[in-house]
Amino acid sequence: MLVPRHCATLARSVRLLSAFRRERSEPEYFYDLMARDAVAQLGSYTDLDGATVIDVGTGFGFSARALAAAGARCTGIDHDLGELTAHGSREPNQLVASALELPFRTGAVDVCFSSNVLEHVPEPWRMADEMVRVTRPGGTVFLSFTNWLSPWGGHETSPWHYLGGDRAARWYERRTGRPPKNRYGLTLHPVSVSSALAWARRRDDVEVLDALPRYHPRWAEGIVRVPGLREIATWNLALILRRRDP
């Protein structure tokens, strides 16, 4: 049976957006909250109980644990061993691998999931292509990312990224005495809502189930249909796809 529909209320939006203030001081609270919310959202589109899932860019493993708690059989992949072992030894279902070349056969899994990773890879649509490839016909792809022109597009250098990524990085380093973790052009890349929608529409092997501002109330989802406004107001896009039968 499907998980009950995700409740995208205003109170939930306030709770999620307020949590960003606690990302550095209470990272476990922040990442656990975001992971559980994303998995609940995914559960609105597909039954996770017993499903085989790949968590692309699993990082510290919060999403993988939330997926497992929902009944999924989850394998997490990340290119950085340090991320996988930051909270102890690497778990058996975690692999060091590239999101641009997923080490799985075509049509291997029921669900391919990725949360807030796409903007950190140099070839975002190659990663998205790989996510579709490894998903079986009838399976689900859940892909969310922070778009560049959103208020948090520059991550810790926000809102100065509106003046340019390099300038924002220099400003951050002058202010803090250290370079930002997310370096523009190296580990942080500008990805837009429009480019995500265009990529999905170009593919004839997927059906777009939803494209919505991930952290917003459900009634605000129409933002995604307004060019220009969507790049600033979406904050984070959730793109949910179903792999078509060949």
Side-chain angles (χ1 to χ4, degrees), residues 34-51:
M34 293 296 173
R36 286 187 289 107
D37 184 82
V39 170
Q41 197 168 37
L42 169 63
S44 297
Y45 301 92
T46 189
D47 188 357
L48 292 171
D49 190 17

Side-chain angles (χ1 to χ4, degrees), residues 118 124-126 128-129 132 141 143 145 191-212 224 237-244:
L118 191 73
W125 308 121
R126 180 177 169 187
D129 288 340
V132 173
V141 175
L143 177 60
F145 65 92
V191 186
S192 69
V193 174
S194 296
S195 61
L197 297 177
W199 166 80
R201 289 166 182 157
R202 283 196 303 268
R203 298 196 64 113
D204 58 8
D205 57 351
V206 298
E207 173 191 359
V208 178
L209 300 181
D210 243 332
L212 48 89
V224 174
L237 182 74
L239 190 61
I240 302 96
L241 312 172
R242 178 166 293 137
R243 179 77 185 269
R244 296 185 192 274

